[in-house]
Every structure is written in structure tokens, then in C-alpha cells.
Amino acid sequence: MCGIVGIVSTQYVNQALYDALTVLQHRGQDAAGIVTFQDDRFYLRKDNGLVRDVFRTSHMRRLVGNVGIGHVRYPTAGSSSSAEAQPFYVNSPYGITLAHNGNLTNADDLSRDLFRTDLRHINTNSDSEVLLNVFAHELQKLGKLDPSKDEIFAAVRAVHQRCRGAYAVIAMITGYGIVGFRDPNGIRPACYGVRETAEGKEYMIASESVALSAAGFKLVRDIAPGEAVYIETDGTLYTQQCAEAPSLNPCIFEHVYFARPDSIMDQVSVYKARLRMGETLADKVLRERPDHDIDVVVPIPDTSRTSALQMAHRLGVKFREGFIKNRYIGRTFIMPGQKMRKKSVRQKLNPIDLEFRGKNVMLVDDSIVRGTTCHEIIQMARDAGARKVYFASAAPPVRFPNVYGIDMPSPGELIAHDRTVEEIQTLIGADWLVYQDLEDLISCVNDVNPDIEGWECSVFNGKYITGDVDDAYLARLDAQRRDEAREAAQAGLPEDNGIIDLHNDED
């Protein structure tokens, strides 16, 4: 999962892009990048690390121009080398940079085609670079010195015909503007907004609406599945549907875990959806154990807090903050390597003994993926004196890998894969384990926007909406995503293995 942003403004965009990326930091902690445009030249800064660490004052001064795009990276299969930090760049045609959120399921085939038929070289293992070169090649085929909006939309249409999987994209074309588009299934989110100034209208495209509101932009709407939004450098905006059979099927895990609660995605409030998750969880508890003995509901900070609060209210029991979070430790789900995740849990959370001692505690988390984190947290609750420790997941059991841009581990690393709820309960050490039902989860997010035709729920039900994911594909993905393979790849690669960034100084 990654965060993307693009701005066409009447003033320098470097600070606005930086601020937007900090708001989107939850979507990726591995790397960050910004590229701006002025006087027929791109100005680029990207590197591994958090936004605040990648950009120094000297870098910001060099990022001149009124047009720019930015990216925060969350690595999926492959290395976390800074060579794969985005945005990516190609010089032909025109000069194009691109930031991408998602994952192409046919990236390997496309990479071979780009070399054999399009005569283009791919310099990294990133499918985002593949997507950039597909877009660039389709623009180049048109052979126009000055591409019109119709020709840019035609290139996006060709991208949809060649690329499969999930993608939300922002590309900047030298001297012309930025174009944002979304895959025909609308799996990954993207929206755009406007800001009125004395000099004219300014536009922003971003992964989440919260990036717009934080920068003073008014949300216009989500980009529709298959649609492209083209904004010229003078602020003129055009939109066009570029897919033959678009269908809105957004990723439901955005609402469970990734998105900020103050975001609106496809007209659905993430906060309201999570409130409903707590209500339906409470209803399930009351169905299964109407005479429950829960004394207190405690959230696992931070994404489960909203659901836990509503669950406690519905059950009529106390809600307490039983864990204090160290906000300087990254999200363990995103961290590569099982040892690093396990070690970071106790560094990240510290229990307040007063809220556990002698009580039957219901812990609430947004989901259970590997089970490492919740096992450690349950033990921490017992060490703090809890009499019984129950555990509730606001999401159903995660039984299948994700192929659309979320680095869900291989099936063997998913604690719910081929296991019953009772077996999982034993493994994590809970006295009782409650999962959200998939039907209830869908109902929590499904009754606001009637245009949503379905939800991408593959991690829960194993149904891959693009129709091109078979056992052979999953086997290849499994090999790529095993922690041991990832750690070996990281250890064997140099820190940088691509083109040198001239603005990589640390002053």
C-alpha cells in the first residue's frame, strides 16, 4: 500500500506536497519522494525513510515549481532498496514521472513485452516502473509533439487494455500537467479536490480525502474506476472515462485498517464504517454469549479504537485505554521480517496495569494477520493481571494473500489459513476469540453509496476480482513473499542500485 498526491497550483507546491505526504504517511513508511516541475526541468528528491527524514531544508529549496507529485512507499514483494523509491522517471516521450499505489498482476508479462516489442528497459523490480513505461510507450506511439487531452486519455485507455490488477496513478508530463487515473475495478482509492485563490483554481489529486482537507482543498469527488483526470499547468481540468466496462469494487481492507478514519472513500466515511464494525461485533458477542462476563473493552491502538468504543457502548460495559502507544515505533504489520515485528510489539505498547488487574478484558483489534502481535499483546494483558483475556477482530479471518498492493504474507504465515477459529484462539492464547462475519463487514460499508457494485474481499474469501489469479500465480507470489526470501534479498542488495539522485546530500 502506498500514498500518492499531485498538485497543480498558482504557487510553489513543495510545501503543500510535503504536508500532504505527512498526512498520508500511514500508507507507507519505507520511502518517500517528491518531484516538481519548472522551466522544462524536473526537480527530484526521494530516498528510504519517513517523510520528515527524507526531506531537509536544502532539498525543499530545490523543489521549485507550481506543479508536482509525491509518493510514500510501502514495499510489497521485492527489496526495499531506495532505487525503488518513487516517483519514477522516463525521458521519452516528453519526460514523464509517475507515482503508483497498487500492484499489477501481469507485471512480469508486461516487463517482457516492454523489452521485446516496445524496446524499453526496466531498471528495478517495481511494477510501478513497468506501468510508467507502458503509459510512456502508449503516448509515444501517438507520435505527437504536443499531446492533446484526447491523446493523453487515449494513452490511459491503452494502459487499461494492457495492465491488469490494481492501480491508482498520478503522472506528470513535462510542460503539460498531471494526469490521475484509477484501475477499471476501482480497487485502490483516488480522489481530487479544488482550492480557489485570487490567482485562479488549484487542484490536488490524492489517495485519501484527508490529504485534501488538510491542505485546504475542497473534495470534489472520487475518481471513478477507469476514469482519468487531466489537469493542465494553467489549471484547466478535463475528465474522461477510459475503460470499456468499469465496475466499482473497492478494497474493503482500506476501511478495516489502512485508511485514516477522517477520510471519505467512494462516499463512505471510514470513521462511520468502523463505528458500525464495533456495533456488529457487539451484536455477535450478544448472540453467542448473551450472559458474557466482560468487565472492560480495551482497544489495540490506534485503528481499532473507533470500533472498540462503539462495541463497548453497545455492550453496556466500560471502555478504557489500557495500552499506551509509543508513537515513534512503526506499524508492525508493515515491518518486513517476523523477528522485527515481534520485537517491536513490546517496544510499541505498554499496558496500564490498573485497567487489567483482576478483570475480564475484551481486547479489540482491527484484524489478525500473522497472529504475532495479538499473541504478544494477550500475554502482556495477562502479565498486567487480567483474570481472563478475550479477543475480538473487527475483520473476518484473513485466510488468503492479497495480490492488489497489500503485502499480506504467504498463506503459511497467515494464522487463519487452514485453521478453525478454535485453533487460532489456542495459538494466540485467548480465552475467547470473536471474528467479524464477512457479511456483517460488508454491511458496515455498503449502505452509503449505491454505486458500489461489490467489494474486493479476497483476503477473506479468496475470490480475486480481476479473474487472472490462479494457483500458479499464488505459488510464485508465495515464493516472493516469504520473510526469509525478503530478508535475504535485502541483505544481498546494495543500498542503491539505480540511477544516482544528484540531490542526495544530507545538509
Side-chain angles (χ1 to χ4, degrees), residues 66-340:
N66 296 356
V67 183
I69 65 176
H71 186 269
V72 284
R73 179 177 186 265
Y74 156 93
T76 52
S79 76
S80 58
S81 165
S82 58
E84 297 191 7
Q86 298 184 39
F88 283 118
Y89 166 77
V90 291
N91 64 354
S92 178
Y94 317 117
I96 304 172
T97 62
L98 178 142
H100 164 223
N101 173 32
N103 185 63
L104 300 183
T105 53
N106 64 335
D108 292 343
D109 292 339
L110 285 172
S111 184
R112 287 191 292 269
D113 291 345
L114 284 166
F115 179 74
R116 293 173 180 171
T117 62
D118 299 354
L119 305 180
R120 286 181 171 269
H121 170 69
I122 304 301
N123 196 56
T124 70
N125 295 322
S126 174
D127 62 334
S128 302
E129 189 186 12
V130 172
L131 198 157
L132 167 60
N133 277 273
V134 170
F135 178 62
H137 178 73
E138 296 301 330
L139 264 180
Q140 192 164 22
K141 278 171 54 178
L142 299 174
K144 297 297 181 68
L145 182 61
D146 297 306
S148 68
K149 67 180 189 304
D150 293 330
E151 285 147 358
I152 289 172
F153 289 143
V156 175
R157 192 172 300 112
V159 169
H160 289 329
Q161 292 169 356
R162 294 183 65 178
C163 296
R164 296 195 302 271
Y167 48 93
V169 174
I170 303 176
M172 181 164 59
I173 306 172
T174 309
Y176 296 99
I178 65 173
V179 56
F181 54 93
R182 198 172 172 193
D183 68 78
N185 288 297
I187 298 173
R188 298 270 72 88
C191 60
Y192 72 95
V194 64
R195 182 171 64 186
E196 301 277 356
T197 69
E199 292 77 20
K201 290 184 178 181
E202 302 175 332
Y203 289 97
M204 176 189 287
I205 301 173
S207 295
E208 296 186 30
S209 63
V210 65
L212 305 177
S213 57
F217 285 78
K218 181 181 179 181
L219 174 66
V220 175
R221 62 177 175 85
D222 297 280
I223 297 176
E227 184 184 27
V229 175
Y230 175 48
I231 309 165
E232 295 179 335
T233 54
D234 65 359
T236 304
L237 180 142
Y238 307 94
T239 66
Q240 189 174 114
Q241 177 55 252
C242 299
E244 294 180 359
S247 175
L248 183 55
N249 296 271
C251 174
I252 203 165
F253 211 74
E254 291 274 0
H255 291 273
V256 170
Y257 177 80
F258 272 104
R260 276 182 44 152
D262 44 347
S263 283
I264 307 292
M265 287 183 165
D266 296 305
Q267 301 178 42
V268 178
S269 165
V270 177
Y271 176 76
K272 193 170 183 179
R274 290 179 183 168
L275 283 175
R276 291 173 175 153
M277 292 176 204
E279 291 176 359
T280 53
L281 262 181
D283 290 342
K284 186 171 183 179
V285 168
L286 293 172
R287 286 196 308 270
E288 294 192 356
R289 294 193 181 184
D291 298 324
H292 68 82
D293 57 353
I294 300 169
D295 296 316
V296 61
V297 172
V298 174
I300 311 301
D302 282 315
T303 47
S304 64
R305 183 174 287 115
T306 305
S307 297
L309 180 62
Q310 194 69 358
M311 182 184 188
H313 177 74
R314 192 86 153 198
L315 292 175
V317 301
K318 294 178 181 178
F319 171 87
R320 291 291 185 268
E321 294 284 354
F323 293 101
I324 299 301
K325 182 177 181 179
N326 180 351
R327 301 186 182 278
Y328 302 98
I329 299 292
R331 301 173 94 174
T332 55
F333 172 65
I334 292 177
M335 290 182 176
Q338 185 78 343
K339 292 181 180 178
M340 187 182 299

Side-chain angles (χ1 to χ4, degrees), residues 476-490:
R476 291 195 302 272
L477 192 68
D478 187 10
Q480 287 178 318
R481 289 185 172 180
R482 289 186 183 277
D483 279 345
E484 297 82 2
R486 184 187 292 112
E487 291 169 352
Q490 290 172 342

Side-chain angles (χ1 to χ4, degrees), residues 63 114 193 238 276 348 363 446 454-455:
L63 293 171
L114 284 166
Y238 307 94
R276 291 173 175 153
K348 183 174 70 172
L363 302 180
N446 206 37
W455 292 91

Side-chain angles (χ1 to χ4, degrees), residues 357-391:
R357 194 177 302 121
K359 298 177 182 178
N360 297 333
V361 181
M362 172 62 82
L363 302 180
V364 181
D365 208 350
D366 51 71
S367 59
I368 304 173
V369 181
R370 295 173 177 88
T372 307
T373 299
C374 57
H375 179 272
E376 290 295 313
I377 290 172
I378 288 169
Q379 188 57 49
M380 290 166 63
R382 294 195 189 282
D383 293 343
R387 184 167 61 243
K388 292 182 181 179
V389 182
Y390 307 136
F391 204 95

Side-chain angles (χ1 to χ4, degrees), residues 105 401 403-404 462 464 466-477:
T105 53
V403 301
Y404 300 125
Y464 298 95
T466 52
D468 60 339
V469 177
D470 54 18
D471 291 341
Y473 181 92
L474 292 176
R476 291 195 302 272
L477 192 68

